[in-house]
């Protein structure tokens, strides 16, 4: 099979463990069915997501949870080891994120939306947008251990929904398109269930009583907008010179 | 009186000395009447706000002016000691701003709007937004002297008007609601008058001939939009998981 | 001739060599006809714009290309020596950009738009916006060699079009006004042709087959919107306290 | 009593909680007897000094231990809130250390020696040396909250012994003079006993079985060199323009 | 075989590719004969070590040369990806160096001497000294991808000779002991010969005509001081609490 | 005249305005007589050297004083625009110092000694030592405006005396050799007299009553050690691969 016909490689990269699962695990499961190689990456190990454990301890727990969820999907997992609330636009952040893109060698990237409920998500979005552009430039050095070579071309870039699909002022951010994940909703829920350490934290910090049910309701709400049982929304980054054809949607449609 | 029934604690935090006075001193005066404890904070001491005095000298003068204005209101004052034009999104900035929130222990925060006429205002807005989220997380360390403990919950967060209520391109940014400050306009003007050092600077750098009258006119213009003599506009940060009920407005209405 | 009646000084500052040429060289040529002194500045020397040469080597080549284009126009050229993909909002970046404004002493500044296809452009836009505000403040030190003195007042500030005139999601960003560059289009093309090193790179990284023709088509498209052969679009930064009268347009109209 | 005849103010500042106690608590106790006001400061809260507790937890414990030891002496205590292994020569480090000197307003400073067994100690020594010089310079701003004013003059500066009195290669570093602490050895031991959290850590990381006895043996060894029961060694920083007369020794001798 | 009787693990870490070979490859070859697992690490990839190739290109070449030399010995090789002349004492440098120690899990570390002919060597020495102390502390996080767990104890630490065995002023720095490498000198020379890219550079920058012969002469000179054909000199870091028994020498002697 | 026979170019670079004059102006005057081109550089403009003027104001005054002193000698002057007490070993500091060496293109460099009375002097010494090594490396980019090309070879490097010729503990640091400046002492004093702003500061901060007489006394003391009326002491940096022949002394001797 020539390289052109192999299934595209996917990188789903978001801020914290559980964000990828919440926003796009159903879509990833569909892509896995298509034979795509999938890498899940989190910027942090979630070291501030606990009121009971210290940062190193909860980080260890959550790396394990993220790995377990990725295993359910048959995906690779990597953590870029930023600290929570410490994702900023600086040289080190750009180098690490570009290295992640070069290591995953994706054809399609799914990441956090530019506007979301907290800074870690928004900063992740910007760093990944930039990294997709920088990753093919051979003169840009990531200065990481065992640096991966530049990739061939800027990948297709998609933003997931923000949490609750709203901006800072409660306004809806409509997605460009909604993927029907009715067939994969249960795997998504299983992956999400791996993040058991977050139950207490989400209740304490976010006022979310039962995060599994909360996430299912959100998937159902997005699905309803597309007339299906469960859905996940996306926007495509179409600014020059990112590829503008909707390869993700074509790929998913080709499978139905 | 149980903790639930005590008047809420207020933190009004903006970039420079005089910004809080210009944008929300009338509202703070109403809150003070309700028995609220109020902390006014400025990110900088305004060290670039002079063409006659060096940075350390004008900073000393302006800390005193800000303290005097806070004294008129019966509020605490603190300065986070950023330098003018040096507020950026970095680790030190986040730590200091989070520490400010933890020290003030606010139930309600008023801060600069995300889009305003200069970077110090916009950066303040972002840092405060993030700090409200980080302040309750026990694993996030501010690394400041005598660090205050985490607070219990994310406070209600409100943005004041931008200067002249416009964005970069002169478009109006409509407030969510306007507070009637007709009863407290004179105290607001007195507080503003404490910042006498800025008269010359505002004329030189901003082309504002008489800042007291200029501010009064702006309060009158916002008031007119609400059918009252004087008003101040606000937008609420409603993104998940910040509390979405309008506690500020309820509180103010309960007093009328 | 008194100072008030001398033609205004112009600073056109953008991210990389060739950006100024693409976005506003036609307008600069019209301003040159009016007797304006013009400075072209690039944030970087374009060190990542090659797949064949190392960063120092391509930077040397591109500094020469930018100088040659400026020579055609009769403009000064300076490079701020940021590295590609390394323009961020930090203290060093602010100091260097403010120094550039102080050295050029402009009455009118043209720069990158706040939203564009890549981070270097957007960061340039923000740094220049801030630098225009900081440049007159005597207490703000740029900490550069042979620091230039503060300027007298905030200059008029204009943003060029983004690449293809679109935002991240492919939506059009309409300009405030379009300058008719039909008379100067050929000089613009000659200036652009100085950047011969970019032909291969733009094809490889941007998928742009023939950048000279591509740029001419874009100028024609903007011209068409104004009913002229070729045009360049601009938006004015009108936020307080930047001067709000459209001095650029008045100046250009006075010459027709 | 005129200012010249008041007892001098003392700042004993070292890297971690317990370092001051180990190296100079006996001398501090003698100075306290003379009526000196004493401030004990630690650069860090000792957040890496545990294999059982996370960094925030052990830091809380150790701040309390340091406070308790200072209380025994009747001294003030402050922690500069560096992190363990994160004391470096940078702008933030200099500002914080200079602020500490300005807050304590010392006439005499005791600090870590320039060469010691680990970097935190050596960096502390350098930062304090520099801070003593910078603290009287009014143009040097510490950029800290509630900044203290500059002090009047460079204080007398003394270095304590290194751990075991040796350099990196095991060579002895002879002290300039040894203070007879036979009268205060028991208070020193009581202060040291406050740091109970370190018993396990010192055994694990340092191979020190019983740190109280170990410290007593070291005091006895230094005492023996001066022909007394217990002693503490010091070197004076005599480089220009630090005051070169041995005020510490004169003060201690005046009391015998 | 119990853990206590296994041959110790060795980490030889120096600034640039070829430094380990020049200073201690003969000793490493002896340790390899003893069954030790050996890791060779370089802080940089030597990106400034060429006047003909750009930094990324020469770095690729030199990583390959370092790997080839390590292969000859049967050692692992890793590069920490600092840039030449960019090794400084900052948080990122400490984290990376500590991670290197944790990954290699050494019982014995050989590194650059504290005083040498250039800053990269001296900074490497300090960072490695500190890393050996920090590596066992579980609360110290390296914030690297796939972080290795803390090691059990501070390893034995040895410094190699400086270049030409002299300090900044040409004074000899006598080694603590000299290892007889007469049996392994040819392998050392073969390893050194892998760094063929440096022949021109060493001539141009260092005035070293033939680096292989130059190195052989130095080994012979050190050998002569110990009455053997070829030797390599070392000093042991004996400051508290680094282990003070000379395990390296005992190990080498046990094999003769 | 071939390049080899032209008089060498000299760079005298020290921390603050007046340091070069105090430590080596007599020697520079002798070199000027030999036809050498001389550049005097100061790391800072001395912004903390006043208790009456703000930092920007005193910096302006002192740049003028340094220029006037250089004019007396017929030397170029440049200021690297570090801030007082802000010279540290970081990337920006290295880049600026290397750029200074590349701009001055020296054959001989005179700079601060590695051990001196304050950190600015010691950090200057280290940065200049490193810059001399980095300046010829073409792959090291200084990232400064109008970057100068690499120089051909590492220059001869000399350290001046420390203040009072002593180290931190009052021990003498003997110079390698003393230059007889009896013939040029009066020009040295005139140059020093240009720094009139420092009279009050040196009295206040350093306890130096009359700095002109104080400096003359020091020159006389060094002269006495060499049996001449006035002298200045130097040490040569002889570590590999800096040139080890004493070109400075040969040059001065050739003129007598």
């Amino acid at each position: 099979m020539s390289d052109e016909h192999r299934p595209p490689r996917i990188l789903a990269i978001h801020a914290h463990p559980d964000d990828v699962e919440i926003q796009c695990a159903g879509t990833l499961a569909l892509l896995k069915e298509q034979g795509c190689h999938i890498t899940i990456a989190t910027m942090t190990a979630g070291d501030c997501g606990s009121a009971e454990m210290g940062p190193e301890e909860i980080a260890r727990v959550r790396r394990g949870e993220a790995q377990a969820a990725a295993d359910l999907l048959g995906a690779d997992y990597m953590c870029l080891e930023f600290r929570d609330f410490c994702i900023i636009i600086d040289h080190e952040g750009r180098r690490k994120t570009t290295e992640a893109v070069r290591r995953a060698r994706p054809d399609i990237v799914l990441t956090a939306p530019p506007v979301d409920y907290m800074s870690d998500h928004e900063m992740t979005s910007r760093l990944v947008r930039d990294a997709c552009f920088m990753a093919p430039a051979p003169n840009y050095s990531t200065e990481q251990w065992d640096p991966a070579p530049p990739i061939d071309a800027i990948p297709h870039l998609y933003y997931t929904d923000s949490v609750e699909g709203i901006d800072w002022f409660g306004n809806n951010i409509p997605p460009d398109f909604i993927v029907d994940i009715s067939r994969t909703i249960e795997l998504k829920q299983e992956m999400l269930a791996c993040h058991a350490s977050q139950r207490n934290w989400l209740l304490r910090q976010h006022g979310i009583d039962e995060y599994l049910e909360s996430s299912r309701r959100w998937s159902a709400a997005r699905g309803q907008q597309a007339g299906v049982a469960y859905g996940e929304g996306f926007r495509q980054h179409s600014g020059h010179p990112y590829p503008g054809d909707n390869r993700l949607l074509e790929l998913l449609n080709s499978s139905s």
Side-chain angles (χ1 to χ4, degrees), chain A residues 76-256:
Chain A
D76 288 346
Y77 169 67
M78 63 178 168
C79 175
L80 280 73
E81 295 295 337
F82 289 80
R83 303 290 96 177
D84 279 358
F85 310 138
C86 293
I87 309 178
I88 60 174
I89 310 296
D90 63 1
H91 303 311
E92 192 179 354
R94 286 196 170 161
R95 289 196 299 255
K96 283 172 78 164
T97 316
T98 303
E99 180 68 24
V101 172
R102 287 182 176 172
R103 288 189 188 182
R105 289 183 299 122
D107 302 289
I108 295 173
V109 173
L110 312 181
T111 194
V115 172
D116 205 338
Y117 82 98
M118 72 164 296
S119 183
D120 279 355
H121 288 214
E122 297 174 353
M123 291 292 187
T124 297
S125 184
R126 293 191 153 264
L127 286 174
V128 171
R129 179 192 70 140
D130 297 341
C132 288
F133 187 85
M134 295 184 284
N139 280 4
Y140 185 77
S141 165
T142 64
E143 302 184 13
Q144 301 298 303
W145 299 27
D146 299 320
I151 58 176
D152 292 334
I154 300 172
H156 287 69
L157 175 62
Y158 295 87
Y159 301 118
T160 70
D161 274 332
S162 66
V163 172
E164 298 180 6
I166 53 173
D167 69 11
W168 298 15
F169 298 102
N171 300 312
N172 289 321
I173 307 174
D176 288 354
F177 60 97
I178 292 170
V179 173
D180 176 2
I181 61 158
S182 308
R183 193 164 74 237
T184 54
I185 181 71
E186 297 311 326
L187 177 54
K188 173 182 173 132
Q189 292 293 108
E190 284 171 48
M191 288 172 66
L192 206 45
C194 294
H195 297 276
S197 75
Q198 293 306 289
R199 182 164 309 182
N200 287 344
W201 177 251
L202 290 168
L203 177 56
R204 181 186 189 279
Q205 174 86 349
H206 296 248
I208 294 177
D209 192 12
E210 175 43 78
Y211 77 103
L212 288 174
E213 281 318 297
S214 163
S215 177
R216 183 187 290 271
R217 278 194 302 273
W218 173 244
S219 297
R222 269 294 185 243
Q224 192 174 27
Q225 292 174 333
V228 299
Y230 295 102
E232 288 170 345
F234 296 94
R235 304 183 79 192
Q236 183 169 9
H237 186 98
S238 311
H240 169 91
Y242 293 73
D245 62 299
N246 196 335
R247 189 170 182 190
L248 174 63
L249 199 54
E250 288 163 21
L251 184 70
L252 292 168
N253 286 342
S254 73
S255 74
S256 1

Side-chain angles (χ1 to χ4, degrees), chain A residues 33-69:
Chain A
E33 291 179 2
Q34 297 266 24
C36 295
H37 178 276
I38 295 175
T39 303
I40 295 177
T42 63
M43 300 294 271
T44 87
D47 55 289
C48 285
S50 174
E52 294 87 26
M53 287 181 259
E56 293 307 303
E57 189 181 358
I58 183 66
R60 262 192 307 274
V61 169
R62 296 187 70 182
R63 274 187 217 105
E65 294 176 344
Q67 183 68 60

